[in-house]
Amino acid sequence: MAAGKVCLRGNKKETAEWTALFQNDLKTKNESLVFVKRMLAVAVSSITYLRGIFPEYAYRSRYLEDLCIKVLRENCSTPRASKIVKWMMGCFDALEKQYLQIICIGVYTNQEDPNCVIESYQFNFRYTENGPEMDILRNNDIKLQVTLEDTKRASVLLIRKLFLLMQNLDALPNNVYLTMKLYYFDDITPVDYQPPGFKEGVSDR
């Protein structure tokens, strides 16, 4: 299993560019939307990396303060990792339209039974006057919040909490599969809406 690591420094130019993306002063709804998208991508990438689901070369390194963050490559040559990236693009589409309510990521071992998950991660979204906000739950239990206040500090704390959480878990079996399900706000989402990379599912609440 891969382990999170803390780096003292990275490439100065790259570090400055990446850090600038986590600005503290979000002035518009669009800036807030971009921030939540980025935090969702960081969270999903961190979970898959720390749980050893994809090989090292599926990720690129980015730095935020003293943290080395592993982010899935958009042009990844690993088919399964590439599929996750495409799913994330679909999530972003639903986020932009404010249809998205919940993302459920399930880890399962029986390819024929994706509903029998051994580990799950849930991302809950709400939309405010200042932009979207996100909560993260593991196995419907441990909750981490992403708010729009002091975003850089919130980003660092979220990533550190994810590192600590993952390091206390048992290693996953060698062969695991991922599933991702999206739930919408039914009162505003068109009946026939499906973001890119997704198909209509059966409600299993």
Side-chain angles (χ1 to χ4, degrees):
M1 184 179 75
K5 58 183 179 180
V6 176
C7 301
L8 294 177
R9 76 182 99 165
N11 177 285
K12 287 185 178 180
K13 183 174 182 292
E14 185 179 86
T15 299
E17 290 174 352
W18 175 253
T19 301
L21 298 176
F22 291 86
Q23 55 188 318
N24 278 329
D25 188 14
L26 301 178
K27 298 183 178 68
T28 67
K29 278 189 176 182
N30 188 60
E31 287 178 348
S32 300
L33 174 63
V34 170
F35 171 71
V36 170
K37 283 182 182 179
R38 190 156 290 118
M39 288 309 301
L40 176 60
V42 166
V44 172
S45 295
S46 296
I47 288 168
T48 58
Y49 178 75
L50 293 168
R51 298 304 279 139
I53 292 175
F54 302 123
E56 182 83 21
Y57 58 79
Y59 303 85
R60 57 182 177 172
S61 297
R62 289 291 181 263
Y63 300 88
L64 185 60
E65 295 192 355
D66 65 338
L67 288 176
C68 177
I69 304 166
K70 296 294 186 177
V71 182
L72 283 166
R73 296 178 181 274
E74 291 182 20
N75 57 347
C76 180
S77 59
T78 304
R80 290 198 303 161
S82 180
K83 180 173 284 189
I84 293 291
V85 173
K86 290 178 181 177
W87 287 350
M88 295 298 298
M89 296 298 109
C91 293
F92 293 166
D93 183 83
L95 258 177
E96 290 170 4
K97 294 178 171 64
Q98 297 192 2
Y99 296 161
L100 187 60
Q101 182 182 22
I102 299 170
I103 298 173
C104 287
I105 297 177
V107 181
Y108 60 102
T109 55
N110 182 354
Q111 193 172 8
E112 304 301 320
D113 189 6
N115 290 319
C116 185
V117 299
I118 60 172
E119 196 167 291
S120 68
Y121 299 88
Q122 182 172 309
F123 301 81
N124 294 350
F125 299 91
R126 55 188 175 277
Y127 303 91
T128 70
E129 291 182 359
N130 297 321
E133 295 183 350
M134 177 177 75
D135 295 335
I136 305 173
L137 292 85
R138 180 185 172 274
N139 292 350
N140 294 317
D141 183 16
I142 300 171
K143 186 174 182 179
L144 306 173
Q145 289 187 314
V146 175
T147 66
L148 303 177
E149 299 174 2
D150 194 4
T151 57
K152 188 189 293 185
R153 180 173 177 274
S155 307
V156 172
L157 286 175
L158 172 69
I159 294 161
R160 288 187 188 279
K161 286 178 181 177
L162 281 172
F163 283 1
L164 290 173
L165 173 62
M166 299 299 154
Q167 288 174 351
N168 290 328
L169 300 178
D170 294 332
L172 289 172
N174 289 331
N175 294 317
V176 295
Y177 305 89
L178 293 181
T179 180
M180 182 182 286
K181 297 181 181 181
L182 308 185
Y183 297 87
Y184 308 119
F185 289 101
D186 292 335
D187 54 336
I188 61 171
T189 306
V191 176
D192 60 348
Y193 172 75
Q194 295 300 335
F198 290 86
K199 62 182 181 180
E200 185 174 359
V202 177
S203 180
D204 57 359
R205 286 180 181 257

